[in-house]
Amino acid sequence: MAILLRTRAASAFLLPFRRQLYFPVAARALSTSKIASFPLKKADGSESSTATTSVKNPRKSTSKASKASGAKDTDSKKKKAKKEPKLYSKPPKGRIAANVLFATEKLPLFQGPVTERMKAVTAQWKSLSADEKQVWATRAEEINTKRREELEAWEAQQSPEALQQYRKDKRQRYRLRATQRAEALGTTGLKQRGTRPFFFLIQAYKMNPERFELPVVEPANKNPAVATAMALGQLWRSMTLGEKAPYIAQAEEDDRKVKQELAKHLAEKVLQSRTA
């Protein structure tokens, strides 16, 4: 009898601890609605309202988050849709360089990955003599002359507002590509490529204009700076590859220096990442 009383007293003493230990397990086994229906007891012993507000449904929170993200996506789509419509029609193709024309025709003759084929085509182009390159330059100039006529005819069909928008979009596309290339390489703020040969011709003209005989630009009432730039462009297109050779050599030297600076910057960046 004494043993039985002791057992009952011990079980009564341990009952609150058992409730604390096993109630969470039972609560997880029940549904959220059943838990919410349990009345809560206050300190004075009176029962409060059900604990519906204290229980959160994780599915509802995730659905709200998904709705919020969906709303952001729709807002971004609306912003994209608000872009001003294009006032100009599809322009004709632009100029093509002699080496690009050479690569376009020679690339299908090689087999393998594109990178390997491009390396082979580049090596073949560099191995050509000046006279052989001149043949391709002449062919490219014939194509560019035809494309220039098509561009002039296309510009004549566009309104001044459309042409202004077209030139603005063209500049933005060029800057975006340059920015993306710099961000991908981690060389933002540095010069990305060497100066083009044509700009060395402009520098030579500024240093000694009397050396050059510029063609006449029509109409004659153009801005003098614009007329000079157009005349230099016509002069550059009429020059042979031998006449362009000094400026091309300057451009290649400048491009080599820029590549060395970029390689040095990337090497320092890799070294810093390893030591960090």
Side-chain angles (χ1 to χ4, degrees):
M1 187 66 181
I3 295 172
L4 181 60
L5 289 173
R6 288 176 185 175
T7 306
R8 287 182 178 176
S11 62
F13 176 75
L14 294 173
L15 182 60
F17 298 99
R18 287 176 180 173
R19 285 178 179 173
Q20 289 180 4
L21 290 172
Y22 292 105
F23 180 75
V25 179
R28 285 196 295 270
L30 295 173
S31 64
T32 308
S33 59
K34 289 183 179 180
I35 296 172
S37 64
F38 291 158
L40 299 177
K41 287 187 178 182
K42 296 182 179 179
D44 57 358
S46 60
E47 292 185 355
S48 64
S49 59
T50 56
T52 308
T53 56
S54 63
V55 179
K56 294 183 180 180
N57 191 347
R59 293 182 180 178
K60 289 184 179 180
S61 61
T62 54
S63 63
K64 287 180 181 179
S66 62
K67 286 180 181 179
S69 62
K72 289 180 181 179
D73 293 340
T74 53
D75 292 341
S76 61
K77 287 180 181 178
K78 286 180 181 179
K79 287 180 181 179
K80 289 181 180 178
K82 287 181 181 179
K83 286 178 64 177
E84 57 182 24
K86 287 185 178 181
L87 304 176
Y88 55 89
S89 58
K90 185 178 179 181
K93 292 182 179 180
R95 291 178 55 82
I96 186 170
N99 59 336
V100 177
L101 179 62
F102 177 83
T104 304
E105 295 189 6
K106 297 294 182 180
L107 195 64
L109 303 179
F110 293 89
Q111 295 181 352
V114 179
T115 53
E116 298 298 326
R117 288 189 288 161
M118 284 302 299
K119 288 180 182 178
V121 171
T122 304
Q124 189 175 358
W125 170 259
K126 290 181 178 179
S127 65
L128 296 179
S129 62
D131 294 335
E132 290 173 332
K133 288 181 180 179
Q134 182 61 46
V135 174
W136 291 95
T138 305
R139 286 186 56 190
E141 188 57 37
E142 291 174 358
I143 296 172
N144 291 333
T145 302
K146 184 178 179 181
R147 291 184 178 182
R148 199 178 306 116
E149 293 173 356
E150 293 174 354
L151 181 63
E152 290 175 356
W154 176 81
E155 288 179 350
Q157 297 174 356
Q158 309 301 316
S159 63
E161 295 81 7
L163 286 176
Q164 185 178 4
Q165 186 189 44
Y166 164 71
R167 287 162 185 154
K168 180 182 176 182
D169 292 347
K170 190 176 179 181
R171 287 193 300 269
Q172 287 180 348
R173 285 195 300 270
Y174 176 80
R175 289 170 184 168
L176 179 62
R177 286 197 298 268
T179 304
Q180 290 174 346
R181 184 170 57 248
E183 288 177 353
L185 294 173
T187 55
T188 305
L190 299 177
K191 191 176 180 180
Q192 301 298 315
R193 65 177 189 179
T195 307
R196 301 297 93 185
F198 174 67
F199 292 100
F200 284 104
L201 172 68
I202 296 176
Q203 291 178 8
Y205 174 79
K206 288 180 179 179
M207 292 175 63
N208 191 2
E210 298 176 355
R211 282 180 50 201
F212 301 90
E213 185 177 351
L214 299 182
V216 180
V217 178
E218 297 294 339
N221 58 352
K222 280 187 176 293
N223 185 313
V226 176
T228 303
M230 292 181 66
L232 285 169
Q234 292 182 12
L235 176 64
W236 177 260
R237 288 190 289 270
S238 64
M239 292 169 65
T240 62
L241 202 61
E243 293 171 337
K244 294 179 182 178
Y247 310 108
I248 293 173
Q250 286 179 290
E252 289 177 350
E253 179 65 21
D254 187 63
D255 195 53
R256 186 183 61 81
K257 291 180 181 178
V258 170
K259 286 180 179 178
Q260 286 180 352
E261 289 294 328
L262 290 175
K264 181 181 177 182
H265 175 77
L266 293 174
E268 291 176 353
K269 196 171 183 180
V270 170
L271 185 62
Q272 289 175 2
S273 63
R274 289 178 179 177
T275 55

